[in-house]
Amino acid sequence: MPLISSIIGLFNTRRLSQIDLFRKAPMEVQESVFFSLIEEAQNTEWGKKYDFSSIRKISQFQERVPVQDYEGFEPFVHRLRNGEKNVLWPGVTRWFAKSSGTTSSKSKFIPVTKEALESCHFRGGRDVLAIYHDNYPDNGVFSGKTLTLGGSHQINNFSNDSFYGDLSAILIENLPFWTQFFKTPGQDVALMEEWEEKLKKITQVTIEENVTSLAGVPSWFLVLIKHILKTTNKNNLLEVWPNLELFIHGGINFTPYRKQYQEIIPSDQMHYMETYNASEGFFGIQDDPSSSSMLLMLDYGVFFEFMPMSQLGKDHPKTLLLDEVELDKDYAMVISTNGGLWRYLIGDTIRFTNRYPFKFIISGRTKHFINAFGEEVIVDNAIKAINAACNATGAVIKDYTAGPLYMSAGNKGAHQWIIEFEKNPDSLEKFKEVLDKTLQSVNSDYEAKRYKNITLDPPDLIVARKGLFFDWMKSRNKLGGQNKVPRLSNNRDYLDPLLKLNH
């Protein structure tokens, strides 16, 4: 173990100095990434269309290339899946991360090039461990194995050489062979498609291993952990894996789940690191254990722009570069990547908490909000309100979603919340009251609509039966992997099927 730590320390020294470089000189590093990207892609169909070879300034790129979401790129992705070369990025793209997102039932297939795998996703994974090792030099992570809970993959029928699956499955499939010595379970189990059978197999295999770290989405990991504890008849996870010390998590906000993890893993030596690793790229790592903010990773072959929320929906939206952003404002993230995405509106919104170095939190989704009555409630508002209501009533949340109750004859509008509790609040009325008052305190538009119940009535809270959200996700074939329960919606597309299933 001391020898492994020494080797890792030497390997990390150079990389940590590179990370320090973009902490101190972010714009210079981003400009280098930008010009490298357009030079690499200048002879692709996309590069020729927008004459990348003549671009000398970032402003020229912004003027020529439109901001687009997935629908704008879909025709090009379809061609890539059929084996066409040099369309968005040089060469053939063989892998596609399947993501339905949470805004549409339509599947998205995000191209994952070999450059994106090596320089972005895998580098991000290595950097997580480098930063962790730097923060905790005496750690024992490499004395055991990492349990990774990912998705599955299957062959894309459009082409024998084109594959798609969850991003996590693509990463597992393409990892160097030697990483198998540090990971569990093996690929045959990790890539199983049937979620419930996969839970049983993972439990069977991993309870015999020395697991020192976990990596995955908090909500799905809780399902696995509870299955493991039930199978082994143990009270907490340290009775199964006494050397467990790290959970690398991402995909959803960790706040509603933190208390449950602290109860299941009762140790002050247990560490949690948030990452922002989406299908489109690896973007952030929590580098300071005392802060929930993530460091924006600037040298992964991703060029960042940030769209003020006031620009969403405009034909020619204005975007900002890093040195133009302000703290505590929400921005929609726009990326150009070595995966062949150009000025791509990823759908996430972030909020900067620090400049030089640039640190941020994920504040929500561009399409996940409630604004049916002009209240503009976003995911970050919901998270704060749910957290306050739980703290005030001793409740523990398992899952939730919310949307509008529309106005009708004799009735004002309201927000309807469907909440599945892991532990019920000591007073449901108090929970609802704190939820409502916290939303008013963090959102002045909501507060105005709630004033004297003139426009909006108090929230309507539905307590979900046990297992409702699991059953709903299962009915949509969205168990495991990076699938997430949508927290907010501006319509009733999620609420009505959930209510039907709840009864």
Side-chain angles (χ1 to χ4, degrees), residues 237-399:
L237 209 52
L238 295 178
E239 293 179 9
V240 182
W241 300 312
N243 299 315
L244 183 65
E245 65 171 87
L246 173 64
F247 182 25
I248 303 162
H249 60 87
I252 60 175
N253 186 278
F254 190 58
T255 300
Y257 302 97
R258 186 177 296 278
K259 187 175 180 181
Q260 292 183 70
Y261 274 91
Q262 289 170 343
E263 291 175 353
I264 290 173
I265 312 171
S267 169
D268 57 6
Q269 299 303 307
M270 183 68 190
H271 307 295
Y272 299 88
M273 283 183 74
E274 184 172 3
T275 63
Y276 181 9
N277 189 16
S279 299
E280 295 85 353
F282 202 124
F283 307 128
I285 298 173
Q286 182 183 356
D287 65 333
D288 180 356
S290 67
S291 170
S292 61
S293 297
M294 288 179 278
L295 178 69
L296 190 65
M297 308 305 287
L298 301 178
D299 63 351
Y300 286 4
V302 179
F303 176 69
F304 295 98
E305 299 172 69
F306 306 95
M307 184 189 297
M309 301 304 285
S310 60
Q311 297 293 308
L312 275 175
K314 292 188 176 182
D315 290 338
H316 303 286
K318 175 181 172 58
T319 60
L320 307 177
L321 301 182
L322 260 184
D323 58 352
E324 299 173 301
V325 299
E326 299 178 44
L327 300 184
D328 301 320
K329 288 191 175 182
D330 292 319
Y331 296 101
M333 199 155 72
V334 177
I335 56 172
S336 299
T337 77
N338 50 14
L341 298 175
W342 300 102
R343 303 203 78 201
Y344 181 79
L345 186 64
I346 190 173
D348 290 330
T349 62
I350 70 169
R351 184 180 307 154
F352 285 98
T353 58
N354 196 80
R355 286 164 49 95
Y356 300 97
F358 284 87
K359 297 190 180 187
F360 69 97
I361 60 168
I362 301 170
S363 57
R365 298 278 296 174
T366 56
K367 296 183 180 179
H368 278 197
F369 54 85
I370 309 176
N371 194 33
F373 313 101
E375 66 275 44
E376 297 186 6
V377 171
I378 63 173
V379 173
D380 186 63
N381 301 155
I383 290 168
K384 288 176 179 174
I386 283 283
N387 194 40
C390 285
N391 289 338
T393 62
V396 178
I397 294 285
K398 187 169 185 179
D399 259 314

Side-chain angles (χ1 to χ4, degrees), residues 9-255:
L10 288 171
F11 180 81
N12 287 343
T13 300
R14 180 169 177 268
R15 180 56 194 153
L16 289 170
S17 68
Q18 292 171 339
I19 292 173
D20 280 338
L21 174 62
F22 71 68
R23 281 189 176 114
K24 296 170 183 174
M27 281 309 300
E28 290 84 347
V29 170
Q30 274 285 276
E31 285 178 4
S32 175
V33 168
F34 169 75
F35 286 111
S36 175
L37 287 173
I38 62 168
E39 181 180 359
E40 188 76 18
Q42 63 184 342
N43 292 319
T44 63
E45 180 179 322
W46 191 268
K48 290 176 180 176
K49 179 179 180 179
Y50 294 105
D51 195 12
F52 279 10
S53 62
S54 70
I55 290 178
R56 299 293 179 265
K57 296 185 296 184
I58 293 173
S59 59
Q60 292 176 303
F61 174 74
Q62 292 174 311
E63 290 164 4
R64 294 181 193 179
V65 181
V67 173
Q68 296 192 85
D69 58 13
Y70 182 75
E71 282 65 32
F73 278 100
E74 188 173 24
F76 298 93
V77 173
H78 185 76
R79 291 167 55 192
L80 290 175
R81 294 176 64 193
N82 282 310
E84 287 193 45
K85 300 179 182 178
N86 304 319
V87 179
L88 297 172
W89 191 257
V92 176
T93 302
R94 298 181 66 241
W95 288 95
F96 298 85
K98 183 180 179 182
S99 169
S100 62
T102 44
T103 60
S104 171
S105 59
K106 187 177 184 180
S107 293
K108 297 186 290 187
F109 295 90
I110 306 299
V112 183
T113 62
K114 60 182 180 180
E115 288 84 1
L117 278 172
E118 289 297 332
S119 301
C120 188
H121 293 290
F122 289 157
R123 174 176 274 192
R126 291 192 297 268
D127 282 353
V128 169
L129 294 175
I131 290 170
Y132 181 73
H133 191 77
D134 190 47
N135 285 332
Y136 304 100
D138 298 325
N139 72 83
V141 163
F142 288 99
S143 66
K145 294 188 176 182
T146 298
L147 196 172
T148 303
L149 184 60
S152 60
H153 89 287
Q154 59 193 68
I155 294 175
N156 174 356
N157 293 327
F158 282 99
S159 167
N160 290 332
D161 294 322
S162 176
F163 304 89
Y164 68 85
D166 292 343
L167 173 68
S168 54
I170 293 174
L171 300 183
I172 290 169
E173 182 75 21
N174 286 278
L175 281 168
F177 78 93
W178 55 264
T179 62
Q180 298 306 313
F181 296 112
F182 299 98
K183 288 185 173 293
T184 188
Q187 281 189 218
D188 55 334
V189 174
L191 296 177
M192 289 177 66
E193 282 193 67
E194 211 288 308
W195 169 252
E196 289 163 298
E197 183 62 26
K198 185 175 182 173
L199 281 184
K200 296 176 185 176
K201 288 288 187 182
I202 290 176
T203 300
Q204 180 183 340
V205 170
T206 61
I207 58 176
E208 303 299 327
E209 299 276 14
N210 175 27
V211 173
T212 54
S213 61
L214 312 173
V217 178
S219 54
W220 294 119
F221 242 112
L222 270 181
V223 177
L224 172 62
I225 290 169
K226 289 176 181 179
H227 186 269
I228 287 172
L229 293 179
K230 183 178 179 181
T231 302
T232 59
N233 199 29
K234 302 295 186 183
N235 295 314
N236 67 67
L237 209 52
L238 295 178
E239 293 179 9
V240 182
W241 300 312
N243 299 315
L244 183 65
E245 65 171 87
L246 173 64
F247 182 25
I248 303 162
H249 60 87
I252 60 175
N253 186 278
F254 190 58
T255 300

